[in-house]
């Protein structure tokens, strides 16, 4: 079945571009072939042919960078599954390949080192072997659970409307759904989202399906600001939902009243009243018109006095917008595109999963995820140095629930 008909056209276009070597073109051709093979096998074994036919019958596999990412990331994900089938993962065939995994990955538009070429070939082999393993399944022997089907339909609709850059997000959701053999761990959409955010910390999902977005919003919390922690230069509303800068006081001692260890006396920040030690939590922050803000979470023991660096090393997991510079405050800081700056920010904390994720609420798109281990209570934290414009915690309209809907693929043959 000719699933991806655009391969030849893309390769011909590359041949006319001098920055690609013959090896680059050959590698891209092989990657396209592997992706085509995967799509064809998944289409063959699926009962839900109408959904998958829309997902697979197209010619848009993305640019070389996206194809390379897809192959490398899914090779890592499929190793455990393939090991169960053939015994030893292909990546363990030689010390050269193991050494290649330790090398940094260059952009596909740049010449690749021999180690990187080995890594890419090995990854292509892993995906090809997994596609072959699907041939042992009878035609139409795999059926999708209801919410898996729903997400596939939503992704297909988004692709048609131009909300997805190419067909790869649909294909990888199908793959992720098929390889899950422990549905009791959570819903397939949840597992898919958390895995994508672990693969790609920034801009992992450009449009989150409605059912997944609803699943996130079901964990909405009523976050309120704690005036006992607020820098004295900040003004808080009576309902504890809004904050802005009242007056900038440069000194950290003489102009302030007697401070406690809970109160910020340097940075202009304030902490939420309630902390979290387990579970999933979600809240939203209105930031429209603001050019200076800090939003995220802190561990309970994180320093609040003076002007210590507020980053992951000191127990702060935050995004920071300052003078058109947008960053995730890792160590060193991760520079984010200003195109990702939201007017309304969604914050999703999953303590057991070890993820703190940020979303553009209006676009329903992913911005950034911190992957971390939260070993103590964490609190929402907010900061700003702007006067006249509130940073506001807004009501999401969601209703927190602990109901877990299990969905999975089952084999009928």
């Amino acid at each position: 079945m000719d699933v991806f008909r655009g391969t030849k056209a893309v390769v011909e276009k590359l041949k006319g571009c001098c920055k690609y070597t013959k090896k680059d073109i050959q590698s891209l051709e092989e990657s396209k072939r592997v992706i085509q093979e995967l799509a064809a096998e998944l289409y063959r074994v699926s009962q839900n042919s109408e959904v998958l036919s829309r997902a697979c019958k197209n010619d848009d596999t993305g640019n070389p960078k996206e194809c390379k990412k897809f192959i490398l990331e899914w090779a890592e994900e499929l190793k455990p599954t393939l090991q169960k089938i053939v015994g030893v993962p292909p990546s363990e065939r030689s010390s050269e390949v193991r050494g290649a995994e330790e090398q940094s990955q260059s952009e596909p538009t740049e010449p690749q080192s021999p180690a990187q070429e080995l890594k890419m070939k090995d990854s292509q082999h892993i995906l090809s072997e997994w596609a072959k393993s699907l041939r042992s399944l009878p035609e139409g022997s795999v059926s999708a659970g209801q919410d898996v089907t729903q997400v596939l339909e939503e992704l297909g609709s988004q692709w048609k409307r131009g909300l997805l850059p190419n067909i790869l997000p649909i294909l990888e959701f199908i793959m992720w759904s098929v390889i899950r053999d422990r549905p009791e761990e959570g819903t397939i959409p949840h597992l898919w989202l958390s895995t994508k955010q672990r693969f790609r910390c920034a801009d992992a999902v450009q449009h989150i399906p409605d059912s997944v977005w609803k699943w996130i919003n079901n964990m909405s919390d009523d976050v309120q600001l704690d005036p006992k922690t607020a820098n004295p230069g900040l003004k808080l509303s009576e309902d504890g939902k809004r904050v802005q800068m009242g007056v900038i006081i440069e000194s950290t001692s003489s102009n302030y009243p007697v401070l406690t260890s809970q109160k910020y006396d340097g940075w202009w920040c304030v902490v939420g009243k309630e902390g979290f030690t387990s579970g999933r939590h979600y809240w939203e922050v209105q930031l429209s018109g603001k050019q200076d803000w800090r939003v995220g979470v802190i561990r309970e023991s994180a320093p609040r006095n003076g002007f210590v660096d507020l980053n992951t090393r000191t127990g702060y997991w935050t995004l920071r917008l300052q003078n058109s510079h947008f960053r995730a405050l890792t160590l060193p800081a991760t520079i984010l595109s200003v195109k990702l700056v939201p007017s309304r920010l969604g914050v999703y904390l999953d303590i057991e999963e070890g993820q703190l994720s940020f979303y553009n609420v209006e676009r329903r798109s992913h911005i950034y995820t911190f992957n971390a281990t939260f070993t103590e209570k964490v609190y929402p934290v907010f900061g700003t140095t702007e006067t006249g414009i509130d940073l506001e915690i807004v009501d999401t309209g969601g209703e927190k629930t602990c109901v877990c809907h299990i969905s999975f693929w089952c084999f009928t043959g």
Side-chain angles (χ1 to χ4, degrees), residues 306-326:
F307 289 96
V308 64
D309 291 338
L310 306 186
N311 54 38
T312 51
R313 182 182 64 82
T314 55
Y316 284 76
W317 295 272
T318 62
L319 296 188
R320 179 80 165 102
L321 177 66
Q322 184 181 34
N323 299 326
S324 299
H325 296 288
F326 193 33

Side-chain angles (χ1 to χ4, degrees), residues 50 87 205-206 208 304 366:
E50 182 181 353
V205 186
Q206 295 189 14
I208 297 171
R304 302 180 190 180
H366 176 250

Side-chain angles (χ1 to χ4, degrees), residues 229-231 234 264 267-271 294 310 316 381-384:
T229 68
N231 184 297
L234 295 176
Y264 286 91
W267 296 113
W268 293 272
C269 295
V270 57
V271 170
R294 183 196 310 271
L310 306 186
Y316 284 76
V381 65
F382 310 87
T384 184

Side-chain angles (χ1 to χ4, degrees), residues 17 67 82 84 96 98 115 117 119 166 186 217 232 255 259 272 280-281 318 335 340 358 373 379 401-402:
C17 186
C67 287
L82 196 60
K84 295 177 184 178
E96 286 181 298
R98 289 196 300 271
E117 290 178 13
K119 171 70 172 176
N166 52 62
N217 274 259
N255 294 321
L259 302 174
R280 301 189 293 121
H281 308 273
T318 62
I335 307 301
L340 297 176
F358 299 88
T373 301
Y379 291 81
T401 176
C402 293

Side-chain angles (χ1 to χ4, degrees), residues 1-4 7 31-41:
M1 183 179 66
D2 186 12
V3 182
F4 292 102
T7 303
S31 294
K32 297 278 188 178
R33 185 196 64 77
V34 169
I35 293 172
Q36 177 180 347
E37 183 181 25
L38 280 171
E41 288 302 322

Side-chain angles (χ1 to χ4, degrees), residues 368-412:
Y368 188 83
T369 291
F370 290 93
N371 289 282
T373 301
F374 302 107
T375 58
E376 58 182 272
K377 183 179 287 189
V378 295
Y379 291 81
V381 65
F382 310 87
T384 184
T385 61
E386 287 181 286
T387 59
I389 304 177
D390 285 334
L391 179 156
E392 181 181 3
I393 304 168
V394 293
D395 181 16
T396 64
E399 183 178 350
K400 191 156 185 175
T401 176
C402 293
V403 176
C404 180
H405 299 286
I406 303 300
S407 174
F408 53 93
W409 290 71
C410 61
F411 297 89
T412 60

Side-chain angles (χ1 to χ4, degrees), residues 76-360:
E76 291 299 314
E77 183 61 35
L78 289 171
K79 280 180 184 179
T81 300
L82 196 60
Q83 186 172 18
K84 295 177 184 178
I85 299 172
V86 300
V88 179
S91 62
E92 296 182 7
R93 289 172 296 159
S94 70
S95 59
E96 286 181 298
V97 171
R98 289 196 300 271
E101 293 184 2
E102 299 174 359
Q103 299 290 325
S104 60
Q105 298 171 4
S106 65
E107 295 294 314
T109 55
E110 300 172 354
Q112 295 191 70
S113 69
Q116 290 166 342
E117 290 178 13
L118 277 173
K119 171 70 172 176
M120 190 61 186
K121 288 179 180 178
D122 187 62
S123 297
Q124 291 170 345
H125 181 78
I126 291 173
L127 266 68
S128 183
E129 288 296 309
W130 187 72
K132 290 177 183 178
S133 74
L134 295 177
R135 296 175 186 171
S136 63
L137 301 176
E139 184 174 348
S141 61
V142 178
S143 62
Q146 182 177 357
D147 58 352
V148 170
T149 301
Q150 182 180 357
V151 171
L152 282 174
E153 289 175 344
E154 291 172 8
L155 288 172
S157 175
Q158 290 164 13
W159 179 76
K160 286 183 177 180
R161 289 182 287 150
L163 298 176
L164 297 181
N166 52 62
I167 205 66
L168 293 181
I170 299 177
L171 183 58
E172 67 182 358
F173 181 76
I174 299 170
M175 292 173 64
W176 180 246
S177 304
V178 170
I179 67 173
R180 290 301 88 192
D181 58 359
R182 299 185 305 276
E184 68 278 6
E185 291 185 359
T187 66
I188 290 298
H190 166 218
L191 295 170
W192 165 75
L193 181 66
S194 62
T195 300
K196 279 186 68 74
Q197 292 172 164
R198 187 171 295 109
F199 276 156
R200 307 171 196 170
C201 288
D203 198 20
V205 186
Q206 295 189 14
H207 194 86
I208 297 171
D210 291 343
S211 59
V212 180
W213 188 253
K214 183 178 179 181
W215 186 85
I216 293 173
N217 274 259
N218 279 343
M219 290 294 109
S220 295
D221 281 90
D222 181 19
V223 174
Q224 294 182 331
L225 303 172
D226 186 353
K228 296 194 302 294
T229 68
N231 184 297
L234 295 176
K235 292 197 310 184
L236 276 61
S237 62
E238 290 185 5
D239 63 0
K241 293 291 187 178
R242 302 185 305 279
V243 60
Q244 65 172 263
M245 173 66 77
V247 58
I248 297 178
I249 305 173
E250 295 295 342
S251 172
T252 62
S253 57
S254 60
N255 294 321
Y256 282 143
V258 176
L259 302 174
T260 68
S261 60
Q262 290 184 316
K263 188 180 289 288
Y264 286 91
D265 62 357
W267 296 113
W268 293 272
C269 295
V270 57
V271 170
K273 284 185 176 181
E274 182 183 356
F276 311 114
T277 57
S278 63
R280 301 189 293 121
H281 308 273
Y282 179 76
W283 58 96
E284 292 181 1
V285 187
Q286 185 66 38
L287 302 166
S288 180
K290 291 189 66 60
Q291 297 298 315
D292 183 282
W293 53 262
R294 183 196 310 271
V295 175
V297 304
I298 66 166
R299 65 176 181 231
E300 188 171 30
S301 63
R304 302 180 190 180
N305 301 124
F307 289 96
V308 64
D309 291 338
L310 306 186
N311 54 38
T312 51
R313 182 182 64 82
T314 55
Y316 284 76
W317 295 272
T318 62
L319 296 188
R320 179 80 165 102
L321 177 66
Q322 184 181 34
N323 299 326
S324 299
H325 296 288
F326 193 33
R327 296 167 292 167
L329 295 186
T330 52
L331 190 66
T334 300
I335 307 301
L336 301 175
S337 170
V338 292
K339 295 180 180 179
L340 297 176
V341 175
S343 295
R344 185 157 168 166
L345 178 70
V347 186
Y348 175 61
L349 172 66
D350 188 332
I351 291 180
E352 282 73 24
E353 188 68 35
Q355 290 190 340
L356 175 69
S357 300
F358 299 88
Y359 304 100
N360 183 317

